[in-house]
Amino acid sequence: MSMTSDYESMLREASLRVTRPRVAVLTAVYDHPHADTDTLIGVVRAAIGEVSHQAIYDVLRALTTAGLVRRIQPANSVARYESRVGDNHHHIVCRSCGVVADVDCTVGDAPCLTPSDDHGFGIEEAEVIYWGLCPSCTTTPVSEDISDPGKESHVRQS
């Protein structure tokens, strides 16, 4: 069975019509984990030709609602999409370049995952985002960002 037919089956099982844009967006999300919308638009257009921004936004919304993709949006970042759904995994984000990677749930003691006051909520999951510098940015010097005077400058030494 080809990946395209797998994606078509996933759409049908989610009670979604199978369309070229839906298959192309689903393929793009699987092929480019944590991609932002602009990246997905470029990948989809390269695959099937002209398709509007709005069509891709509509497809992403439908796929997210159906549980076929997951939308994540780390602080100060654009929305990103991933195909890993149905588990409570977390993410690690590079403060410098913005690369995102999956992190399986913490094992052992997990401080701060049980709220001190749940305010009557039935807690279903905790979202954890780890922040740091990826291996590439750890060894790359960066210059001061003068566009945001309140932002601390971090210059790394090679």
Side-chain angles (χ1 to χ4, degrees):
M1 182 184 284
S2 73
M3 288 306 296
T4 298
S5 60
D6 287 346
Y7 298 140
E8 291 172 356
S9 295
M10 291 169 65
L11 290 165
R12 285 187 187 98
E13 288 171 18
S15 299
L16 293 174
R17 269 186 324 115
V18 175
T19 64
R20 285 185 68 216
R22 285 181 176 165
V23 171
V25 170
L26 199 52
T27 301
V29 172
Y30 269 82
D31 290 347
H32 303 277
H34 308 117
D36 61 26
T37 308
D38 286 341
T39 300
L40 294 173
I41 288 170
V43 170
V44 169
R45 285 182 174 167
I48 66 170
E50 187 58 35
V51 60
S52 71
H53 280 75
Q54 190 59 50
I56 292 178
Y57 281 108
D58 291 345
V59 169
L60 286 167
R61 186 172 20 268
L63 295 176
T64 302
T65 299
L68 297 178
V69 301
R70 180 178 176 193
R71 180 183 187 274
I72 62 168
Q73 190 167 6
N76 301 316
S77 176
V78 297
R80 297 170 179 270
Y81 296 86
E82 66 179 347
S83 58
R84 187 173 170 184
V85 296
D87 67 350
N88 186 27
H89 72 279
H90 307 296
H91 297 95
I92 187 163
V93 181
C94 179
R95 288 188 187 278
S96 182
C97 70
V99 71
V100 178
D102 289 334
V103 176
D104 288 329
C105 283
T106 305
V107 294
D109 293 333
C112 299
L113 294 182
T114 303
S116 60
D117 182 354
D118 64 16
H119 299 279
F121 282 68
I123 305 297
E124 297 170 351
E125 70 180 307
E127 184 173 310
V128 176
I129 298 179
Y130 299 94
W131 294 89
L133 296 175
C134 70
S136 296
C137 291
T138 300
T139 58
T140 305
V142 293
S143 60
E144 185 173 342
D145 182 359
I146 59 172
S147 64
D148 184 356
K151 184 176 178 180
E152 290 184 29
S153 172
H154 296 280
V155 179
R156 291 174 295 286
Q157 302 298 319
S158 304

